[in-house]
Amino acid sequence: MKPVYFAKKPVVRKEEAFIVGCYENLRFDSSVSELLDKEGIGRESLKALNFKGEAGEVASISTPRGHLFIFAGLGRKRELNREKVRKAIGSAVKEAKGRKAKKLAAVMFDFGRKNEGLAAAFAEGLFLASYSFEKYRSEKKEIESVTVYGTEELKEAFYYGKILAEAANFTRDIVNEPGNVITPEALADKAKDLASRYGFKCKIFREKDLEKKNMVGILAVGRGSKNPPRFIHITYRPENPAKKVVLVGKGVTFDSGGLNIKPEQYMKKMKMDKAGACAVLGIMKAIGELKPAVEVHALIPAVENMPDGKAYRPDDILVYKNGRSVEIHSTDAEGRLILADALIYGSDLNPDFMIDMATLTGACVVALGHYTSGLFTPDNGFADKLLSLSRESGEKMWRLPLDEDLEEEIKGTQSDIQNVGKSRYGGAITAALFLKNFVGEGVKTWAHIDIAGPAFIEKDWKYYGYGATGQPVRTLAELIKEMK
Ligand code: BES
Ligand code: ZN
Ligand code: ZN
């Protein structure tokens, strides 16, 4: 982890790119104005760069004293919101990176009032944009340290935002690892490390245990790979928990499609098919830091989907522990098969909330694009809650219907259900309807989040760069923190 310093009085140093915010019409907070005067930066130099302080603008100037100043446009003070703050500090950090800065200093924007939400967002944008995955580069360009100047009253909120961003960055680090490094067993090791760091209970089921527990989906999908499957169960239990939450994450460490092998252009980037699992681990990291009042169980079915002599095949019929029989129509619709085991197991824990997250369908990306996750839940109140948190976090979600008329699509011919719809229309919905078959009646609230679009992006987008985004870690960490 890079060192972070929090101080009150700004000091400009040669080795640090110095980030300041600027409201429209080049209005600065008084402490920043003083610094600019000292550095000999007048308004004319900013005007010459066509910088006005509007939201989304960014400019940089090397001062006569040899300091690199970066200006983040904030627009109108009273129109500022969390996402604008994240984007503004995020673009400034990206500008600093473009200027090859390795150390950052930033003056917390002047929000004009005590505003914890904006201070947290400032930290989120700062640390999400500072992230880079450089483990395998011989020449590192990563940010080495960050100094932040802010008032004591917003310090706690700043550190809260830092916890959320670092939880998301932890997720990004694992998602970005390739399939030759993160096998199901390696993912289980990550879970164990996390659990021992925060004092969580952690059980890992190996093949024998999977057989005993009748986890037929995980066993079937896992059989086609030399790297054996695992099932991970982490438990966080505070004293007298107010609620019980189960989180489930799809952990396909690589999705080749299996015997229904993917064509080249669709197989690329399928190391990200474990993003749901990694998000669950990231949420658990945030929980370890924030210690909420609710009991949380993290469940991860982990497999590698490969074609092999032992691989499961189209036409195979699986009979799940809850009695449902499933005919395989495509070995590439593997995510729902392993999630089914986890949802049955999770239902037996009798949770108040069960939320699964998965890079489940290409259809969801077709429907919503790369920047929005699909949200499915029969519970209107819970949908509203999640959507409103998601608007605040900038991890965009959009509700899609669990349309009963589409249930016909996954009715089996020689089994109860099949793992793919009869037509390809509504593919994200039929996948969600499939999952619903494995959510027990006793589960009060269930939601499914299809993160196939936003989990991994291939171009720069707001405070993210190429690669994993860590969605929806921040939204769900906030949800759980607020639960009582
Ligand atoms: N992992 C894929 C879904 C996916 C696609 C994730 C693109 C991220 C980006 C999933 O296992 C899959 O292959 N789904 C199939 C389902 C089909 C066979 C019904 C798909 O979406 O094409
Ligand atoms: Zn697949
Ligand atoms: Zn998949």
Side-chain angles (χ1 to χ4, degrees):
M1 200 61 57
K2 52 179 134 335
V4 175
Y5 311 97
F6 196 94
K8 278 183 220 160
K9 204 169 158 37
V11 182
V12 186
R13 298 190 182 89
K14 266 232 161 56
E15 65 277 16
E16 289 178 330
F18 196 84
I19 300 172
V20 297
C22 175
Y23 287 100
E24 66 166 4
N25 299 324
L26 298 184
R27 266 201 288 269
F28 291 100
D29 126 41
S30 60
S31 71
V32 173
S33 295
E34 265 171 46
L35 284 174
L36 296 180
D37 290 345
K38 246 202 247 162
E39 292 285 332
I41 309 178
R43 298 160 70 94
E44 326 71 56
S45 31
L46 282 163
K47 278 190 187 142
L49 292 169
N50 208 12
F51 179 86
K52 301 186 200 74
E54 275 163 26
E57 286 181 348
V58 60
S60 50
I61 294 181
S62 283
T63 74
R65 291 183 162 196
H67 294 141
L68 177 61
F69 267 66
I70 299 183
F71 297 89
L74 300 173
R76 286 195 189 166
K77 200 177 240 179
R78 56 190 155 77
E79 285 172 15
L80 203 59
N81 59 35
R82 293 204 212 177
E83 188 64 350
K84 278 192 189 169
V85 169
R86 285 185 203 102
K87 283 181 177 167
I89 181 75
S91 339
V93 170
K94 283 185 174 181
E95 174 76 14
K97 282 181 171 175
R99 295 286 192 128
K100 304 205 163 39
K102 289 198 170 176
K103 292 177 196 262
L104 300 179
V107 181
M108 172 104 72
F109 302 154
D110 168 25
F111 305 124
R113 57 196 189 281
K114 186 179 175 199
N115 192 319
E116 280 94 350
L118 297 182
F122 181 86
E124 290 169 48
L126 179 59
F127 295 110
L128 289 169
S130 297
Y131 175 85
S132 53
F133 184 68
E134 303 209 5
K135 190 174 162 191
Y136 299 103
R137 281 190 199 281
S138 4
E139 200 191 320
K140 314 265 189 244
K141 300 180 204 155
E142 62 204 2
I143 302 294
E144 291 164 0
S145 70
V146 180
T147 310
V148 174
Y149 299 104
T151 57
E152 201 56 34
E153 60 173 16
L154 289 177
K155 192 169 171 177
E156 201 183 315
F158 172 85
Y159 276 101
Y160 171 66
K162 178 170 175 280
I163 286 172
L164 296 182
E166 281 175 352
N169 288 347
F170 173 77
T171 294
R172 296 164 90 182
D173 265 341
I174 312 175
V175 177
N176 283 328
E177 288 279 5
N180 61 330
V181 175
I182 296 292
T183 57
E185 191 172 11
L187 191 61
D189 288 341
K190 294 272 180 202
K192 275 193 269 180
D193 289 349
L194 181 79
S196 71
R197 174 153 168 212
Y198 290 107
F200 302 146
K201 245 175 54 188
C202 181
K203 279 194 284 184
I204 309 290
F205 297 9
R206 306 162 71 92
E207 283 149 302
K208 284 247 159 56
D209 312 300
L210 294 168
E211 271 157 30
K212 255 189 250 152
K213 298 269 177 199
N214 224 348
M215 294 187 148
V216 294
I218 301 174
L219 285 164
V221 180
R223 256 200 305 279
S225 170
K226 278 240 156 66
N227 301 309
R230 294 286 183 264
F231 180 76
I232 303 163
H233 178 182
I234 306 175
T235 309
Y236 160 76
R237 196 170 189 284
E239 246 175 74
N240 305 316
K243 289 269 157 51
K244 194 192 281 183
V245 183
V246 167
L247 302 172
V248 178
K250 171 177 173 182
V252 176
T253 59
F254 187 76
D255 184 9
S256 70
L259 287 174
N260 292 100
I261 197 159
K262 286 179 184 290
E264 181 194 339
Q265 70 269 35
Y266 294 111
M267 202 188 295
K268 273 193 206 157
K269 312 288 138 29
M270 277 303 139
K271 67 171 182 178
M272 56 102 136
D273 215 18
K274 58 186 180 304
C278 302
V280 166
L281 293 179
I283 297 164
M284 291 312 284
K285 177 172 159 64
I287 284 169
E289 298 284 345
L290 300 169
K291 304 189 173 53
V294 291
E295 179 174 331
V296 185
H297 295 265
L299 309 180
I300 297 173
V303 298
E304 184 178 37
N305 188 21
M306 296 290 259
D308 178 67
K310 283 204 233 157
Y312 80 129
R313 44 183 102 57
D315 296 348
D316 282 1
I317 295 178
L318 310 178
V319 182
Y320 280 83
K321 195 173 166 237
N322 73 344
R324 289 282 196 291
S325 61
V326 176
E327 189 173 73
I328 307 305
H329 280 228
S330 169
T331 61
D332 197 13
E334 82 298 338
R336 62 198 77 181
L337 298 173
I338 64 167
L339 289 170
D341 288 324
L343 291 170
I344 294 171
Y345 182 98
S347 300
D348 288 344
L349 298 169
N350 284 318
D352 298 284
F353 299 92
M354 182 153 73
I355 308 163
D356 72 76
M357 53 213 81
T359 47
L360 202 62
T361 66
C364 197
V365 193
V366 173
L368 299 175
H370 255 295
Y371 305 118
T372 302
S373 292
L375 169 66
F376 299 84
T377 174
D379 184 328
N380 293 333
F382 192 56
D384 291 344
K385 176 78 198 162
L386 265 174
L387 291 173
S388 97
L389 284 169
S390 121
R391 273 192 295 274
E392 290 290 321
S393 70
E395 296 180 327
K396 291 189 282 184
M397 293 179 195
W398 196 259
R399 191 178 183 190
L400 295 172
L402 286 157
D403 183 357
E404 284 166 16
D405 284 334
L406 285 174
E407 258 159 20
E408 166 61 24
E409 285 282 313
I410 51 165
K411 278 246 161 67
T413 39
Q414 296 183 320
S415 62
D416 299 337
I417 49 176
Q418 55 189 51
N419 76 332
V420 168
K422 289 171 185 130
S423 80
R424 58 193 192 86
Y425 301 116
I429 298 173
T430 50
L433 290 171
F434 180 95
L435 295 179
K436 204 181 86 182
N437 280 279
F438 302 93
V439 179
E441 307 235 308
V443 177
K444 292 192 195 78
T445 298
W446 163 66
H448 156 61
I449 308 175
D450 193 331
I451 57 172
F456 193 100
I457 50 160
E458 296 187 48
K459 52 183 175 194
D460 258 20
W461 172 45
K462 44 189 195 178
Y463 32 82
Y464 302 116
Y466 176 98
T469 62
Q471 294 201 32
V473 169
R474 290 181 293 117
T475 311
L476 290 199
E478 294 224 77
L479 173 82
I480 291 169
K481 194 206 90 196
E482 283 180 15
M483 272 180 189
K484 277 184 196 94

